[in-house]
Amino acid sequence: GAEAGCLSLDFWVYLARYLDQTNISSAYVSGMKEDLQLNGNELNYFLTFFSISYCLMLIPSQVIITYVRPSYWLPGLEIGWGFVTALIAFAQNAYQVYALRVLLGLFESSAWPGMMTLFMYWYTPLELAKRMGFYHSCQALGSMMSGALQVAVLESLEGKWGLGGWRWLFIINGLLTLLIGFTGFFLIPDYPRSPNPRCLKASPQTLSCSSTPSLSFGWLTPAHIQAAEDRLKRHGRTDSKKITWRAAKRTFRSWISYFIPALYVASVLAPYGYNYFNLFLKELKDQNGRPRWSVEQVNAIPIAGNGVNVVFVWIWAILSDLLQTRWTLLVAQGVIGLIPCIIMSIWTSHPDTTPVSAAYASYFMTYMSLGTAPLIMSWLSDILPQDSEARTLIVGYSIAGVYAILTWSQVLIWPASQAPYYHYAWQISIVLWILVIIMCWMLNIIDVRILL
């Protein structure tokens, strides 16, 4: 019914987003580096330019969706990033890619925070983490599809019409994103008190209403809307409100507006090394100095890691709703995440005496600790059930904080020129995981003793 329609669209939107975000790494190790003569840290700068524009647009986008229907705003931006993604296929140098990545960041900044914000208006604490977990797992599914798609493209479209396989990857991703973007106009439900009229099921009452368009997918009924409103009232949750200067100033003065973003940033950056698994595989050499893995294998091997990610994101999210706890499962992920960081710190310092199998195992283990975001956002919704403006802004602050730091940190901490042996990246990850564990423990004490 309503939930199936909403979640199916969320799945495809997030899948498209992460296909577009991960294909730059897949393309880089599949011929883009050689075709565009990229010899330094251009891959890092591709991410930097994307992160800058993403960060700048994110909070304005969170404000805009309280004034403009999400069913207009979010699909419109997705169509924009579909066009930009396809244009990257025709880039001839790094500078053209930089410019397109700036545009891509502006368009994509709406997807994850916008959808997470919508979830908070439709689902209760007993089910919120599961729904966010489902959506978040599409990050890994997008990465899996990107790797699998690149392998298929290299085998079937390499050189077709004079285009390299990596260029076809961007074209295909762009076309898929455009298709999904158009469906968003009819499948995003907006808010319970102001539902998307293109989603409403036709009835004698709605047929006579001029606000109901003739073209409707009809998956959202008045009963669904009433049930959503009743359930949120029972759990003390408010519907969407337009963000005003007064609400913004009130949020800015709240301590939770800084604590949750700091926790979120640390939890995202701590396991960040998994993003460079394919680069790690590409740069590994055998005893004769030849690449240890083929281009196809470099794209295929991380698929298994993303499979681990999907499974564990669901495990953490389901357990969180089932046991009605956020902090214990966040701490558990922190403990698990510490282990590969410690092993990789040893391996990068002593690669000759530490078996490379330990590095492989560490990368795969890192994927087990990537389910923190749904739990943190669910926790935020639990803490601020009646302040929808603050929730919307804090989601924006949190994600903007990640990208603000990524604009410079990944160039300094994870430079492509140091792969596969990073000087101090894994040691920084250890510190961040310890910080996550401490902050979760502190927030739980505050939540139990003061906020309840």
Side-chain angles (χ1 to χ4, degrees):
E3 183 174 315
C6 182
L7 286 177
S8 63
L9 175 70
D10 295 338
F11 169 83
W12 289 110
V13 169
Y14 203 44
L15 195 61
R17 176 176 179 259
Y18 269 90
L19 270 172
D20 292 337
Q21 283 199 16
T22 58
N23 60 20
I24 194 72
S25 296
S26 296
Y28 184 85
V29 300
S30 304
M32 185 182 194
K33 177 181 179 181
E34 293 74 16
D35 287 356
L36 300 188
Q37 299 179 350
L38 309 176
N39 300 312
N41 292 322
E42 288 92 349
L43 176 62
N44 297 104
Y45 292 125
F46 292 159
L47 299 174
T48 294
F49 281 102
F50 174 89
S51 298
I52 290 173
S53 58
Y54 191 105
C55 177
L56 292 176
M57 185 62 184
L58 199 152
I59 295 177
S61 178
Q62 285 293 91
V63 175
I64 289 171
I65 63 171
T66 65
Y67 288 86
V68 178
R69 283 188 179 275
S71 57
Y72 286 124
W73 181 248
L74 300 181
L77 292 182
E78 185 169 356
I79 290 171
W81 94 56
F83 278 114
V84 174
T85 298
L87 287 175
I88 296 177
F90 304 98
Q92 299 300 315
N93 55 59
Y95 296 103
Q96 293 176 4
V97 180
Y98 293 154
L100 291 170
R101 292 287 290 178
V102 168
L103 292 175
L104 195 64
L106 291 175
F107 287 124
E108 283 197 27
S109 62
S110 64
W112 200 90
M115 286 297 184
M116 284 291 172
T117 301
L118 285 180
F119 282 142
M120 295 180 185
Y121 296 115
W122 288 93
Y123 298 114
T124 69
L126 301 176
E127 57 195 9
L128 185 58
K130 289 195 293 290
R131 273 61 181 185
M132 288 184 172
F134 177 87
Y135 185 63
H136 189 69
S137 67
C138 296
Q139 171 183 356
L141 290 171
S143 298
M144 292 170 69
M145 285 189 63
S146 181
L149 184 61
Q150 186 65 53
V151 172
V153 166
L154 288 171
E155 293 177 349
S156 60
L157 292 178
E158 179 66 40
K160 188 76 171 179
W161 294 347
L163 297 177
W166 69 268
R167 295 183 186 273
W168 280 108
L169 179 65
F170 287 110
I171 293 173
I172 294 171
N173 285 177
L175 292 176
L176 288 173
T177 302
L178 286 173
L179 177 62
I180 296 167
F182 281 111
T183 64
F185 291 114
F186 305 96
L187 291 179
I188 291 179
D190 293 337
Y191 304 107
R193 290 183 183 172
S194 56
N196 180 357
R198 292 174 299 281
C199 296
L200 294 175
K201 187 174 183 179
S203 65
Q205 291 78 18
T206 57
L207 285 174
S208 62
C209 179
S210 60
S211 63
T212 303
S214 58
L215 180 59
S216 172
F217 274 34
W219 61 268
L220 187 63
T221 68
H224 293 144
I225 297 169
Q226 187 61 50
E229 291 185 356
D230 292 343
R231 293 188 317 146
L232 293 178
K233 287 179 181 177
R234 286 199 301 269
H235 290 274
R237 275 158 167 70
T238 57
D239 206 334
S240 174
K241 297 179 182 178
K242 294 180 179 180
I243 295 177
T244 62
W245 279 112
R246 182 178 179 181
K249 287 188 290 185
R250 183 184 71 248
T251 303
F252 188 76
R253 290 194 294 265
S254 172
W255 66 272
I256 202 72
S257 300
Y258 303 93
F259 197 99
I260 289 291
L263 174 60
Y264 181 81
V265 168
S267 71
V268 171
L269 298 184
Y272 200 75
Y274 84 96
N275 285 283
Y276 300 104
F277 189 19
N278 55 1
L279 187 58
F280 161 82
L281 296 168
K282 178 181 176 65
E283 297 300 330
L284 280 180
K285 310 296 181 183
D286 60 22
Q287 293 180 347
N288 298 320
R290 294 190 299 265
R292 184 171 296 189
W293 303 102
S294 67
V295 173
E296 290 80 5
Q297 290 170 325
V298 167
N299 284 285
I301 292 173
I303 294 176
N306 286 297
V308 174
N309 185 2
V310 172
V311 171
F312 274 87
V313 166
W314 270 94
I315 289 174
W316 300 123
I318 291 172
L319 286 177
S320 180
D321 281 347
L322 183 64
L323 303 176
Q324 280 298 283
T325 179
R326 315 299 186 195
W327 82 279
T328 51
L329 299 175
L330 287 167
V331 169
Q333 291 183 71
V335 173
I336 292 173
L338 274 173
I339 297 173
C341 293
I342 294 171
I343 295 174
M344 288 303 295
S345 297
I346 298 172
W347 182 80
T348 54
S349 302
H350 307 283
D352 296 329
T353 57
T354 307
V356 70
S357 59
Y360 291 132
S362 295
Y363 271 101
F364 281 109
M365 192 173 184
T366 300
Y367 286 96
M368 298 168 62
S369 60
L370 301 180
T372 58
L375 273 60
I376 292 174
M377 293 305 166
S378 299
W379 202 356
L380 169 64
S381 183
D382 296 341
I383 292 173
L384 298 175
Q386 295 182 329
D387 196 338
S388 61
E389 303 103 307
R391 291 199 311 263
T392 301
L393 286 172
I394 292 172
V395 170
Y397 295 162
S398 301
I399 305 166
V402 169
Y403 284 90
I405 294 176
L406 285 178
T407 57
W408 54 269
S409 66
Q410 50 87 30
V411 178
L412 298 177
I413 299 172
W414 301 99
S417 58
Q418 291 181 11
Y421 311 108
Y422 299 101
H423 295 165
Y424 42 80
W426 295 104
Q427 291 86 343
I428 292 176
S429 292
I430 292 173
V431 174
L432 289 174
W433 274 128
I434 293 173
L435 179 62
V436 168
I437 293 171
I438 294 173
M439 292 187 72
C440 288
W441 173 72
M442 292 174 58
L443 184 57
N444 178 65
I445 293 176
I446 296 172
D447 190 12
V448 172
R449 298 183 180 179
I450 300 176
L451 298 180
L452 291 182

